[in-house]
Short mmCIF file of all heavy atoms in Angstrom, two decimals:
data_model
loop_
_atom_site.label_atom_id
_atom_site.label_comp_id
_atom_site.label_asym_id
_atom_site.label_seq_id
_atom_site.Cartn_x
_atom_site.Cartn_y
_atom_site.Cartn_z
N ALA A 24 4.69 3.15 6.56
CA ALA A 24 4.03 4.17 5.78
C ALA A 24 2.69 3.66 5.30
O ALA A 24 1.75 4.44 5.14
CB ALA A 24 4.88 4.54 4.55
N SER A 25 2.54 2.36 5.08
CA SER A 25 1.31 1.78 4.52
C SER A 25 0.12 1.82 5.49
O SER A 25 -0.99 2.14 5.08
CB SER A 25 1.54 0.31 4.12
OG SER A 25 2.58 0.23 3.18
N LEU A 26 0.37 1.55 6.74
CA LEU A 26 -0.76 1.48 7.70
C LEU A 26 -1.47 2.80 7.83
O LEU A 26 -2.72 2.83 7.79
CB LEU A 26 -0.28 0.93 9.03
CG LEU A 26 0.19 -0.55 8.99
CD1 LEU A 26 0.81 -0.93 10.35
CD2 LEU A 26 -0.92 -1.47 8.57
N PRO A 27 -0.78 3.95 8.03
CA PRO A 27 -1.52 5.21 8.10
C PRO A 27 -2.22 5.58 6.81
O PRO A 27 -3.29 6.17 6.85
CB PRO A 27 -0.45 6.25 8.40
CG PRO A 27 0.71 5.48 8.94
CD PRO A 27 0.63 4.11 8.35
N ILE A 28 -1.65 5.20 5.67
CA ILE A 28 -2.30 5.49 4.41
C ILE A 28 -3.57 4.65 4.28
O ILE A 28 -4.60 5.14 3.77
CB ILE A 28 -1.33 5.24 3.22
CG1 ILE A 28 -0.18 6.23 3.28
CG2 ILE A 28 -2.04 5.34 1.89
CD1 ILE A 28 0.95 5.93 2.31
N MET A 29 -3.52 3.41 4.72
CA MET A 29 -4.72 2.56 4.70
C MET A 29 -5.83 3.18 5.57
O MET A 29 -6.99 3.19 5.19
CB MET A 29 -4.40 1.15 5.18
CG MET A 29 -3.54 0.36 4.20
SD MET A 29 -3.00 -1.22 4.89
CE MET A 29 -4.54 -2.12 5.03
N ALA A 30 -5.44 3.70 6.73
CA ALA A 30 -6.41 4.33 7.63
C ALA A 30 -7.00 5.57 6.99
O ALA A 30 -8.21 5.81 7.07
CB ALA A 30 -5.74 4.69 8.96
N ALA A 31 -6.19 6.36 6.31
CA ALA A 31 -6.68 7.59 5.69
C ALA A 31 -7.61 7.26 4.49
O ALA A 31 -8.41 8.10 4.11
CB ALA A 31 -5.49 8.40 5.20
N SER A 32 -7.50 6.09 3.93
CA SER A 32 -8.33 5.74 2.78
C SER A 32 -9.82 5.73 3.14
O SER A 32 -10.67 5.88 2.25
CB SER A 32 -7.90 4.40 2.20
OG SER A 32 -8.18 3.34 3.07
N ILE A 33 -10.14 5.52 4.41
CA ILE A 33 -11.55 5.55 4.84
C ILE A 33 -12.12 6.95 4.61
O ILE A 33 -13.21 7.11 4.14
CB ILE A 33 -11.69 5.17 6.32
CG1 ILE A 33 -11.16 3.78 6.57
CG2 ILE A 33 -13.13 5.27 6.77
CD1 ILE A 33 -11.12 3.41 8.01
N LEU A 34 -11.32 7.95 4.93
CA LEU A 34 -11.78 9.34 4.81
C LEU A 34 -11.81 9.83 3.41
O LEU A 34 -12.50 10.81 3.08
CB LEU A 34 -10.90 10.25 5.68
CG LEU A 34 -10.87 9.89 7.17
CD1 LEU A 34 -9.90 10.78 7.90
CD2 LEU A 34 -12.24 10.01 7.81
N ALA A 35 -11.03 9.18 2.53
CA ALA A 35 -10.94 9.62 1.13
C ALA A 35 -12.27 9.33 0.39
O ALA A 35 -12.66 10.08 -0.50
CB ALA A 35 -9.78 8.95 0.43
N GLY A 36 -12.94 8.31 0.77
CA GLY A 36 -14.19 7.96 0.11
C GLY A 36 -13.92 7.36 -1.28
O GLY A 36 -12.97 7.77 -1.96
N GLY A 37 -14.66 6.37 -1.65
CA GLY A 37 -14.44 5.74 -2.97
C GLY A 37 -13.35 4.72 -2.88
O GLY A 37 -13.02 4.17 -1.85
N ARG A 38 -12.79 4.42 -4.03
CA ARG A 38 -11.78 3.36 -4.15
C ARG A 38 -10.38 3.94 -4.14
O ARG A 38 -10.06 4.89 -4.87
CB ARG A 38 -12.04 2.60 -5.43
CG ARG A 38 -11.11 1.42 -5.67
CD ARG A 38 -11.49 0.74 -6.99
NE ARG A 38 -10.53 -0.21 -7.41
CZ ARG A 38 -10.53 -1.52 -7.16
NH1 ARG A 38 -11.50 -1.99 -6.45
NH2 ARG A 38 -9.58 -2.29 -7.60
N THR A 39 -9.52 3.38 -3.29
CA THR A 39 -8.13 3.77 -3.21
C THR A 39 -7.27 2.57 -3.53
O THR A 39 -7.51 1.47 -3.01
CB THR A 39 -7.81 4.23 -1.76
OG1 THR A 39 -8.70 5.29 -1.39
CG2 THR A 39 -6.36 4.70 -1.65
N VAL A 40 -6.30 2.73 -4.43
CA VAL A 40 -5.41 1.66 -4.83
C VAL A 40 -4.03 1.99 -4.28
O VAL A 40 -3.48 3.08 -4.53
CB VAL A 40 -5.37 1.47 -6.34
CG1 VAL A 40 -4.37 0.37 -6.72
CG2 VAL A 40 -6.77 1.16 -6.87
N LEU A 41 -3.44 1.08 -3.52
CA LEU A 41 -2.13 1.26 -2.95
C LEU A 41 -1.19 0.25 -3.63
O LEU A 41 -1.43 -0.95 -3.61
CB LEU A 41 -2.16 1.00 -1.45
CG LEU A 41 -3.18 1.86 -0.68
CD1 LEU A 41 -3.29 1.41 0.78
CD2 LEU A 41 -2.77 3.31 -0.72
N LYS A 42 -0.13 0.77 -4.20
CA LYS A 42 0.83 -0.07 -4.93
C LYS A 42 2.00 -0.43 -4.06
O LYS A 42 2.41 0.33 -3.18
CB LYS A 42 1.30 0.65 -6.18
CG LYS A 42 0.16 0.98 -7.15
CD LYS A 42 0.67 1.60 -8.40
CE LYS A 42 -0.43 1.84 -9.38
NZ LYS A 42 -0.97 0.61 -9.97
N SER A 43 2.54 -1.60 -4.27
CA SER A 43 3.77 -2.09 -3.62
C SER A 43 3.64 -2.24 -2.10
O SER A 43 4.62 -2.06 -1.38
CB SER A 43 4.97 -1.18 -3.96
OG SER A 43 5.21 -1.14 -5.31
N LEU A 44 2.47 -2.56 -1.61
CA LEU A 44 2.31 -2.86 -0.22
C LEU A 44 2.96 -4.21 0.08
O LEU A 44 2.79 -5.18 -0.68
CB LEU A 44 0.84 -2.90 0.22
CG LEU A 44 0.34 -1.69 0.98
CD1 LEU A 44 0.38 -0.46 0.13
CD2 LEU A 44 -1.05 -1.95 1.48
N PRO A 45 3.71 -4.32 1.15
CA PRO A 45 4.36 -5.60 1.50
C PRO A 45 3.32 -6.64 1.88
O PRO A 45 2.23 -6.30 2.38
CB PRO A 45 5.30 -5.27 2.63
CG PRO A 45 4.79 -4.01 3.20
CD PRO A 45 4.08 -3.29 2.11
N PHE A 46 3.64 -7.89 1.69
CA PHE A 46 2.75 -8.98 2.07
C PHE A 46 3.10 -9.38 3.50
O PHE A 46 3.86 -10.31 3.74
CB PHE A 46 2.93 -10.19 1.15
CG PHE A 46 2.35 -9.97 -0.22
CD1 PHE A 46 3.13 -9.35 -1.22
CD2 PHE A 46 1.06 -10.34 -0.51
CE1 PHE A 46 2.58 -9.15 -2.48
CE2 PHE A 46 0.51 -10.15 -1.79
CZ PHE A 46 1.29 -9.56 -2.77
N LEU A 47 2.57 -8.63 4.48
CA LEU A 47 2.86 -8.85 5.89
C LEU A 47 1.55 -9.04 6.66
O LEU A 47 0.49 -8.58 6.23
CB LEU A 47 3.58 -7.63 6.49
CG LEU A 47 4.97 -7.32 5.89
CD1 LEU A 47 5.47 -5.99 6.42
CD2 LEU A 47 5.94 -8.42 6.19
N SER A 48 1.66 -9.73 7.79
CA SER A 48 0.43 -9.97 8.60
C SER A 48 -0.15 -8.68 9.12
O SER A 48 -1.40 -8.58 9.22
CB SER A 48 0.75 -10.94 9.75
OG SER A 48 1.71 -10.38 10.60
N ASP A 49 0.65 -7.66 9.41
CA ASP A 49 0.08 -6.39 9.88
C ASP A 49 -0.84 -5.76 8.83
O ASP A 49 -1.89 -5.23 9.14
CB ASP A 49 1.22 -5.38 10.20
CG ASP A 49 2.05 -5.79 11.39
OD1 ASP A 49 1.76 -6.85 11.99
OD2 ASP A 49 2.98 -5.05 11.71
N ILE A 50 -0.45 -5.85 7.60
CA ILE A 50 -1.25 -5.31 6.48
C ILE A 50 -2.54 -6.11 6.37
O ILE A 50 -3.63 -5.54 6.22
CB ILE A 50 -0.46 -5.34 5.17
CG1 ILE A 50 0.83 -4.53 5.26
CG2 ILE A 50 -1.32 -4.88 4.00
CD1 ILE A 50 0.70 -3.05 5.37
N SER A 51 -2.46 -7.44 6.47
CA SER A 51 -3.65 -8.30 6.36
C SER A 51 -4.59 -8.04 7.50
O SER A 51 -5.81 -7.94 7.30
CB SER A 51 -3.24 -9.75 6.37
OG SER A 51 -2.40 -10.04 5.25
N VAL A 52 -4.08 -7.92 8.71
CA VAL A 52 -4.94 -7.71 9.92
C VAL A 52 -5.63 -6.35 9.81
O VAL A 52 -6.81 -6.24 10.07
CB VAL A 52 -4.12 -7.84 11.21
CG1 VAL A 52 -4.91 -7.39 12.42
CG2 VAL A 52 -3.67 -9.27 11.40
N PHE A 53 -4.90 -5.34 9.38
CA PHE A 53 -5.51 -4.02 9.26
C PHE A 53 -6.54 -4.02 8.13
O PHE A 53 -7.54 -3.35 8.26
CB PHE A 53 -4.46 -2.96 9.03
CG PHE A 53 -4.93 -1.57 9.32
CD1 PHE A 53 -5.08 -1.15 10.63
CD2 PHE A 53 -5.30 -0.71 8.33
CE1 PHE A 53 -5.55 0.13 10.94
CE2 PHE A 53 -5.78 0.56 8.60
CZ PHE A 53 -5.91 0.98 9.92
N GLY A 54 -6.28 -4.77 7.07
CA GLY A 54 -7.26 -4.93 6.01
C GLY A 54 -8.56 -5.58 6.52
O GLY A 54 -9.66 -5.15 6.17
N GLU A 55 -8.42 -6.60 7.41
CA GLU A 55 -9.59 -7.21 8.01
C GLU A 55 -10.35 -6.20 8.87
O GLU A 55 -11.57 -6.17 8.89
CB GLU A 55 -9.18 -8.37 8.86
CG GLU A 55 -8.74 -9.60 8.07
CD GLU A 55 -8.33 -10.75 8.98
OE1 GLU A 55 -8.87 -10.85 10.11
OE2 GLU A 55 -7.52 -11.54 8.55
#
Side-chain angles (χ1 to χ4, degrees):
S25 301
L26 295 175
I28 295 170
M29 289 172 67
S32 67
I33 299 173
L34 301 175
R38 184 178 167 95
T39 303
V40 178
L41 305 171
K42 298 184 177 290
S43 299
L44 257 64
F46 289 87
L47 299 172
S48 61
D49 292 0
I50 301 290
S51 298
V52 169
F53 198 76
E55 288 180 28

